[in-house]
Amino acid sequence: MCGIIAAASNRNVGKLLVQGLHKMEYRGYDSAGIALHQNNQIAHLRTLGKVKLLEEKMISEKPKSKLGIAHTRWATHGEPSEENAHPHKSNERVYIVHNGIIENYLDLKEFLKKEGYSFSSQTDSELIAHMLEYFLAKGNSMLDSMYLTKEKLDGAYAIAAIDKEDDKNIIIARNKSPLLIGIGTDEFLAASDPLAIAQLTNEFIFLEDGDVAELSSEEFTIYDQSKNKVEREISQIDISNQATSKGEYKHFMEKEIYEQPDAILNTIDGRVGGDDVLDNIFGIGSSEIFEKVKRIQIVACGTSLHAGRVAANWFSAIAELPTQIDYASEYRYRNPHVDEDSLLVTISQSGETADTLAALRYAKEKDYLSTLTICNVPTSSLARESDYSIFTNAGPEIGVASTKAFTTQLAALMLLSLALAKSRGKNPKLRTRVITAMRSLSDTVNETLKLKDKILEIAPAIASKDNALFLGRGIFYPIAKEGALKLKEISYIHAEAYPAGELKHGPLALIDEEMPVIALAPESEIAEKLVSNLEEVKARGGTLYVFADPSITMDLKSGQVINMPKCDFLLTPIIYTIPLQILSYEVALLRGTDIDQPRNLAKSVTVE
Ligand code: M6R
């Protein structure tokens, strides 16, 4: 998953293309490049590393151009290097940028080699440039060459291409990778994400799979899979600049942690009324569909999967529904049996995660009653392809480590539990109790954020270790998993999570003074059992850091207990997530890692 951007304008586009790449660095940041039409030549600049380095090269070389394409990369085929950076070119004529994966690239490479093309990169993308050139050289137009090339390609792609012989037009194509057109003033743009061009326009056209479009500074034309001219809907989206700047914070992750009280308010806003959840908040007809649901299947990845694991407990307790959960990347490969009246629920911040999208597409061929997505990006593929949806309204999340997206997913999943329960006539009193607690949730999150000073006291002890263990029980086990994921993702400390009762079945062997143990101890019916599990750690010399309800008393030999604010038990997973996010952030800060763009990762994983 990479970010692509293209512009055809009446003004110089170099700077705006690079600014767009900066906004898309969340999609990949191991190398970057640009190709600009300049006096019948192409200025072709590529750098290994972040977009800042490409920017520096641009400042020193000062290319001037009104037409260009650019790319920021997350390596799939071929290591991060200048040779593997996009744009790729063919015969000094065709230049392309690509996001996605070409699955049959080895066969196509073989074919092109036999036709006399030589390859200078290890990527799957370079062949697209050669294939376009191959068809162009046979006398086809660039548009026709793109269609002929598409016929050969298996896989996912968003492509933008320019031809040295044509300084007016850019050709773009989409299949299973996001791509949109931006309507600017005296210019047309294309990008993987509206964020990249949000400063230039608020009018976007989201291309559909199979679409090809031709852009110049004066006009654009979209063609569908069968090369018929088509009109696609124009969406007006206002993405404020403020939402994509760090403001007073050092990192986006830090800003996003502290935005959670407002983000949660935005998720709940307009969706509850009186003492219940409102009808049809997941789309017209959703309340009726929910009456019929007998089983839920969740598919998601990473943090979003952890949100699903918490929600499975809620679906059971509030809506009295059984739930099956799968990693989206595994779901299709286990020949899932679909029970009658099952609802498929996908959860995704970006709405573009390839594994989750593939799982949804697979499920749509099966006998599900309906499909529903919990998503933060209304214009995303998941949102467009699901029958029902709810948007978390968290605002753009830029830090690779998911924070506000997770807690708002939980808030939205709680709304789903309540809506299912309401449609099925289940647990009215419990629903009222939860709605009341949800109304003060944002305040409790605010109070929890004030624990920062206490967390700063324990962060150095964890930052100095190479491993950490997270423990939780029941609905807190997924939160322990989320804490471990956050810590490993941004601080590179190896961290694992276990249900505390499982310790004695193996992991207890790891306990010594080098293994900090971070435990979640809310007030619950199994609090005593959890404390006994923690005693087992203490007895073996382990250092415990416990986030605990004030009612739980523990006498620690080493470590610390941090008391948590009170909250309705069903919502406590949201509250207990907050200190784990702050802890990971502060530990990563001490270790000096690249917090917003941790090594080897990208925000939006659009490859399977
Ligand atoms: O956009 P999605 O929610 O579908 O992304 C899924 C995962 O890639 C994501 O949650 C990942 O695990 C985060 N970087 C974790 O912080």
Side-chain angles (χ1 to χ4, degrees):
M1 60 267 149
C2 309
I4 73 173
I5 180 166
S9 180
N10 281 327
R11 58 172 168 155
N12 198 2
V13 294
K15 199 166 166 198
L16 73 88
L17 288 174
V18 172
Q19 279 166 350
L21 290 184
H22 273 302
K23 299 275 182 207
M24 283 192 297
E25 270 195 303
Y26 74 90
R27 301 179 67 88
Y29 36 80
D30 58 44
S31 54
I34 194 164
L36 295 162
H37 232 288
Q38 190 178 232
N39 308 327
N40 299 325
Q41 295 297 320
I42 302 284
H44 185 209
L45 309 180
R46 297 184 294 176
T47 48
L48 172 63
K50 293 195 179 180
V51 173
K52 193 157 53 77
L53 300 172
L54 178 69
E55 192 170 19
E56 284 164 12
K57 209 168 186 174
M58 292 276 288
I59 291 168
S60 82
E61 303 207 6
K62 299 186 185 57
K64 295 250 175 306
S65 164
K66 293 179 176 171
L67 185 106
I69 56 176
H71 189 270
T72 179
R73 180 169 187 249
W74 185 80
T76 56
H77 298 62
E79 61 184 13
S81 69
E82 204 170 305
E83 295 69 43
N84 288 333
H86 299 218
H88 292 291
K89 63 177 178 178
S90 181
N91 279 345
E92 307 292 334
R93 176 171 181 188
V94 175
Y95 290 73
I96 67 102
V97 288
H98 166 228
N99 168 37
I101 286 188
I102 305 304
E103 282 159 11
N104 57 339
Y105 82 105
L106 286 175
D107 293 346
L108 297 181
K109 240 174 142 168
E110 246 356 88
F111 165 79
L112 287 162
K113 277 184 185 164
K114 282 193 192 126
E115 293 295 327
Y117 289 91
S118 55
F119 285 76
S120 57
S121 77
Q122 294 118 38
T123 66
D124 55 336
S125 308
E126 186 182 350
L127 72 89
I128 300 170
H130 294 313
M131 198 61 94
L132 283 169
E133 207 277 341
Y134 168 79
F135 287 119
L136 269 180
K138 289 193 176 312
N140 295 291
S141 68
M142 189 67 158
L143 181 68
D144 289 342
S145 299
M146 183 60 91
Y147 273 93
L148 291 163
T149 299
K150 265 160 49 71
E151 272 174 32
K152 302 262 180 205
L153 303 179
D154 288 341
Y157 49 82
I159 302 167
I162 55 174
D163 174 7
K164 197 179 71 165
E165 315 285 304
D166 175 1
D167 63 358
K168 297 269 177 294
N169 295 294
I170 301 171
I171 300 283
I172 61 174
R174 171 194 159 131
N175 187 46
K176 296 191 206 154
S177 289
L179 186 60
L180 56 98
I181 295 173
I183 303 174
T185 313
D186 293 330
E187 61 193 8
F188 290 101
L189 310 135
S192 306
D193 187 320
L195 265 186
I197 49 176
Q199 277 168 306
L200 307 168
T201 180
N202 60 1
E203 290 192 321
F204 303 97
I205 296 170
F206 292 85
L207 294 187
E208 295 185 7
D209 283 345
D211 283 356
V212 173
E214 200 163 19
L215 317 178
S216 71
S217 63
E218 270 135 40
E219 59 181 356
F220 70 91
T221 315
I222 305 175
Y223 304 87
D224 68 7
Q225 177 84 17
S226 320
K227 224 199 282 177
N228 299 312
K229 276 191 193 177
V230 282
E231 300 275 325
R232 300 267 182 241
E233 194 191 334
I234 300 178
S235 310
Q236 307 268 351
I237 312 171
D238 231 341
I239 306 170
S240 77
N241 196 22
Q242 200 195 350
T244 57
S245 82
K246 279 185 259 191
E248 73 203 62
Y249 294 96
K250 275 197 218 78
H251 296 95
F252 279 108
M253 181 184 179
E254 186 188 22
K255 175 175 176 249
E256 287 154 7
I257 289 174
Y258 289 93
E259 279 174 348
Q260 288 178 107
D262 284 345
I264 288 172
L265 275 183
N266 288 339
T267 311
I268 300 169
D269 190 34
R271 287 160 174 172
V272 297
D275 56 7
D276 218 333
V277 64
L278 297 177
D279 289 336
N280 290 322
I281 58 170
F282 292 83
I284 311 251
S286 54
S287 295
E288 256 171 65
I289 284 284
F290 290 171
E291 280 173 32
K292 300 185 194 140
V293 173
K294 295 213 186 81
R295 179 172 280 275
I296 292 176
Q297 167 73 56
I298 293 178
V299 286
C301 306
T303 287
S304 298
L305 186 85
H306 296 154
R309 289 194 195 281
V310 174
N313 290 268
W314 292 338
F315 294 150
S316 175
I318 305 170
E320 299 180 18
L321 281 168
T323 306
Q324 166 95 34
I325 307 177
D326 280 88
Y327 290 104
S329 54
E330 291 291 314
Y331 168 70
R332 285 178 292 160
Y333 305 107
R334 68 166 175 84
N335 296 319
H337 168 76
V338 182
D339 276 327
E340 215 179 307
D341 296 325
S342 292
L343 175 69
L344 182 98
V345 176
T346 56
I347 309 167
S348 172
Q349 186 283 130
S350 61
E352 299 295 350
T353 301
D355 289 322
T356 313
L357 204 47
L360 170 67
R361 287 173 180 158
Y362 173 88
K364 284 174 85 168
E365 304 296 314
K366 302 270 163 191
D367 237 357
Y368 280 98
L369 178 64
S370 198
T371 60
L372 181 152
T373 191
I374 310 267
C375 183
N376 192 32
V377 183
T379 50
S380 64
S381 305
L382 270 183
R384 282 180 284 128
E385 294 183 30
S386 302
D387 298 329
Y388 297 101
S389 52
I390 194 164
F391 304 115
T392 45
N393 299 338
E397 192 183 65
I398 311 290
V400 163
S402 209
T403 51
K404 63 176 180 174
F406 178 66
T407 47
T408 55
Q409 280 168 350
L410 288 176
L413 283 159
M414 180 51 95
L415 293 174
L416 179 58
S417 316
L418 295 167
L420 286 161
K422 186 178 178 191
S423 290
R424 288 163 46 76
K426 304 283 181 193
N427 297 310
K429 281 198 188 133
L430 180 58
R431 290 195 326 255
T432 305
R433 187 189 102 189
V434 173
I435 292 283
T436 310
M438 283 186 96
R439 291 191 196 283
S440 53
L441 182 59
S442 164
D443 292 340
T444 320
V445 171
N446 234 328
E447 214 184 314
T448 315
L449 288 168
K450 294 185 187 139
L451 293 175
K452 178 179 169 185
D453 287 346
K454 294 214 155 54
I455 295 165
L456 283 175
E457 288 169 22
I458 64 174
I462 293 166
S464 64
K465 299 288 190 276
D466 294 326
N467 299 287
L469 212 55
F470 285 73
L471 302 177
R473 291 197 69 144
I475 202 164
F476 288 86
Y477 170 50
I479 302 302
K481 285 180 83 67
E482 175 59 10
L485 176 63
K486 222 78 312 168
L487 188 70
K488 66 184 129 190
E489 191 175 21
I490 58 165
S491 73
Y492 315 149
I493 292 174
H494 172 237
E496 294 303 331
Y498 281 93
E502 274 298 295
L503 263 192
K504 55 191 175 295
H505 300 291
L508 205 52
L510 295 171
I511 301 299
D512 63 13
E513 57 287 353
E514 287 307 304
M515 178 68 86
V517 178
I518 297 134
L520 304 174
E523 188 179 25
S524 78
E525 56 193 23
I526 51 171
E528 273 179 25
K529 288 203 165 63
L530 176 83
V531 171
S532 307
N533 301 145
L534 300 186
E535 289 293 339
E536 292 157 13
V537 173
K538 205 170 106 185
R540 279 140 189 106
T543 307
L544 277 165
Y545 302 96
V546 190
F547 294 97
D549 185 85
S551 64
I552 293 176
T553 46
M554 289 204 66
D555 174 23
L556 299 182
K557 267 199 231 132
S558 64
Q560 202 164 319
V561 177
I562 296 180
N563 282 335
M564 295 291 291
K566 285 271 184 205
C567 171
D568 188 286
F569 178 73
L570 282 170
L571 293 176
T572 39
I574 299 177
I575 300 303
Y576 278 66
T577 301
I578 310 288
L580 302 187
Q581 296 170 343
I582 301 175
L583 181 65
S584 304
Y585 176 78
E586 297 299 340
V587 167
L589 203 59
L590 288 169
R591 288 170 70 100
T593 56
D594 191 346
I595 294 182
D596 282 335
Q597 295 176 336
R599 68 186 182 203
N600 306 338
L601 300 179
K603 181 76 183 159
S604 181
V605 188
T606 57
V607 293
E608 283 178 45

